[in-house]
Amino acid sequence: MADVDEMPVAGNGLLNRRLFLQAGAAGTAALLTAQASAQDQPIWMRAPGAGMSESGTPSKYESELYRRAIASQPGTTGAGVSRTPLEHLDGIITPSRLHFERHHSGIPDIDPDRHRLIIHGLVERPLSFSMDALARYPTVSRIQFLECSGNSGGMLAAEPAQSSCAELHGLVSASEWGGIPLSALLAETGVKANARWIVASGADAAKMSRSVPIDKIMDDAIVALYQNGEPLRPSNGYPMRLFLPGWEGNMSVKWLHTIKVVDQPAMTKDETAKYSDLQDNGELQLFTFPMGVKSVITSPSPGLNLGRAGVYRISGIAWSGAGKIRRVEVSADSGNSWADAALDEHVLPECLTRFRSAWRWNGGPAVILSRAIDEAGNVQPTRAAALQGRAVGTFYHYNGIQAWQVNSDGKVNNVYA
Ligand SMILES: Nc1nc2c(c(=O)[nH]1)N[C@H]1C(S)=C(S)[C@@H](COP(=O)(O)O)O[C@H]1N2
Ligand SMILES: [Mo]
């Protein structure tokens, strides 16, 4: 008789999410038949292993752990993106070496001894901070996602692109960011009464500049110096970056160089010509700051094909710029019925949250989806709803539900459902 947890909770074989907490759920492990003899021991058990090294690398058997779809604008090498291989990772932290990259003019080679953070404008005392000066301030640690507002833009194509999860959604990563609350530095400079915004600029050739409301700055902005316990990597802003939890990645200015306190937004090219959303009524929507509630099933997904019919683990990530993830629902029948996924224990605000479901695949074609709901009550929209009101060709801030088609041969591909 089937255990209660093996009973379907939604259509087409979706099982109780507690299934994987129990022993023997999948029943696919091989039975131990004969006693292992010394001769059966593999080579790595019979001779000493390799020595130490100054820096670790993944196992040579893990050949998928590299950034995907690296692309730069024609004629450039550094004005482009690389994407996190989401479907080959688990948990909620992105290893620094696999954090996605987005540079508008390459990675500057910054000597930290010569780099300064300058705070000026509507302040009482304009100040220039060296790395040494910054070492004297209290720091905070935040485990949070960073997502490019262009992430998942490929989902706007008229026909579903036959791409991997990384290629479609790999412009999101999460790290432990360590740094100084920007409010502490502004307390040092003093802020004039008419201060409403700041304009942050980077020390790269693109001089990326964004205006940020002062309320956000005082609330939770940090000058990040550390990523996953080590100094930021050059690709992610060494020696310092602005980090704005939950807000579009573009505003987390890397290689942070100047902060000008102002009374109105600067209307820089990076917030007007780019990173703005043209509506189908001709209006240009500026300053879409928090990233929308979103989720994607990372496994199964294109390239991670299923074998024979049976119980599988569905796993994915969910996140929202509006706070914590409250629920993730999964469907195995094209969205006709849904059941709550289990959330891993770390459910943090503005962070990736890992979800899991158990699914008995009957070997037939199926469409699997996930739908996230955040603590503010925002529900991840369908693709149709996410497209509504957009002008043709605009691709920022897409957070529609992702559907994966599982075919009877076990192959998985992107579909619009
Ligand atoms: N100075 C500077 N800051 C920048 C950028 C840049 O090109 N120059 N790219 C922005 C964009 S568009 C994004 S999505 C994030 C990407 O951060 P990452 O490369 O650490 O993932 O940095 C932002 N900050
Ligand atoms: Mo971005």
Side-chain angles (χ1 to χ4, degrees), residues 334-354:
S334 309
N336 289 316
S337 63
W338 299 82
D340 280 5
L343 305 184
D344 273 12
E345 59 199 295
H346 304 293
V347 179
L348 303 172
E350 293 96 34
C351 191
L352 299 184
T353 295
R354 174 66 54 178

Side-chain angles (χ1 to χ4, degrees), residues 99-102 104 148 204 208 236 241 249 252 254 275:
H99 193 288
F100 84 88
E101 300 165 278
R102 172 70 179 108
H104 288 244
C148 178
D204 54 335
M208 162 75 61
N236 305 107
R241 82 179 301 161
S252 284
K254 298 190 280 190
Y275 302 101

Side-chain angles (χ1 to χ4, degrees), residues 38-338:
Q39 273 98 327
D40 289 340
Q41 286 190 353
I43 178 76
W44 56 83
M45 294 180 77
R46 284 184 267 124
M52 285 63 74
S53 59
E54 290 187 334
S55 194
T57 52
S59 163
K60 69 179 184 196
Y61 302 104
E62 294 298 331
S63 56
E64 301 286 358
L65 298 179
Y66 59 93
R67 292 181 181 129
R68 300 306 155 96
I70 300 176
S72 195
Q73 267 140 43
T76 75
T77 46
V81 294
S82 70
R83 294 159 204 267
T84 297
L86 296 174
E87 64 271 36
H88 299 291
L89 301 177
D90 202 292
I92 60 170
I93 305 275
T94 310
S96 300
R97 51 181 286 278
L98 298 176
H99 193 288
F100 84 88
E101 300 165 278
R102 172 70 179 108
H103 323 304
H104 288 244
S105 195
I107 305 168
D109 176 13
I110 297 180
D111 175 352
D113 291 340
R114 292 174 54 203
H115 183 76
R116 295 290 180 270
L117 172 61
I118 292 163
I119 305 186
H120 67 129
L122 297 175
V123 295
E124 307 295 344
R125 290 169 299 280
L127 292 175
S128 166
F129 298 87
S130 65
M131 292 299 283
D132 281 350
L134 289 177
R136 294 167 204 278
Y137 290 88
T139 58
V140 292
S141 150
R142 304 247 176 69
I143 303 179
Q144 278 157 337
F145 76 79
L146 182 71
E147 183 181 22
C148 178
S149 44
N151 195 25
S152 318
M155 294 302 292
L156 284 115
E159 295 299 321
Q162 290 320 308
S163 307
S164 67
C165 184
E167 288 162 351
L168 288 168
H169 306 294
L171 295 180
V172 66
S173 303
S175 294
E176 184 201 10
W177 303 97
I180 304 165
L182 189 43
S183 58
L185 303 180
L186 287 171
E188 195 80 58
T189 62
V191 169
K192 295 209 164 136
N194 55 337
R196 295 289 177 275
W197 295 70
I198 64 115
V199 184
S201 303
D204 54 335
K207 298 189 178 59
M208 162 75 61
S209 301
R210 287 295 310 254
S211 309
V212 187
I214 196 110
D215 291 350
K216 175 71 172 175
I217 295 296
M218 294 306 189
D219 181 23
D220 61 1
I222 64 171
V223 176
L225 306 169
Y226 293 94
Q227 182 182 1
N228 297 328
E230 63 179 359
L232 293 179
R233 296 193 170 203
S235 53
N236 305 107
Y238 182 84
M240 65 183 75
R241 82 179 301 161
L242 185 60
F243 186 77
L244 299 175
W247 285 22
E248 61 175 353
N250 177 256
M251 307 181 73
S252 284
V253 172
K254 298 190 280 190
W255 315 295
L256 181 63
H257 182 34
T258 63
I259 290 184
K260 185 175 183 185
V261 181
V262 293
D263 60 359
Q264 56 184 328
M267 300 303 205
T268 69
K269 67 170 169 27
D270 302 313
E271 58 202 18
T272 52
K274 286 174 168 279
Y275 302 101
S276 53
D277 301 296
L278 188 62
Q279 310 291 296
D280 59 6
N281 63 6
E283 274 178 29
L284 191 63
Q285 176 105 45
L286 297 178
F287 303 132
T288 304
F289 297 140
M291 294 304 290
V293 62
K294 192 162 168 182
S295 69
V296 62
I297 293 171
T298 52
S299 177
S301 68
L304 301 185
N305 302 329
L306 301 188
R308 59 188 166 83
V311 177
Y312 281 88
R313 185 167 64 197
I314 290 176
S315 169
I317 46 174
W319 64 100
S320 167
K324 292 182 183 175
I325 289 297
R326 182 194 290 162
R327 272 172 80 186
V328 180
E329 298 167 304
V330 169
S331 171
D333 59 3
S334 309
N336 289 316
S337 63
W338 299 82

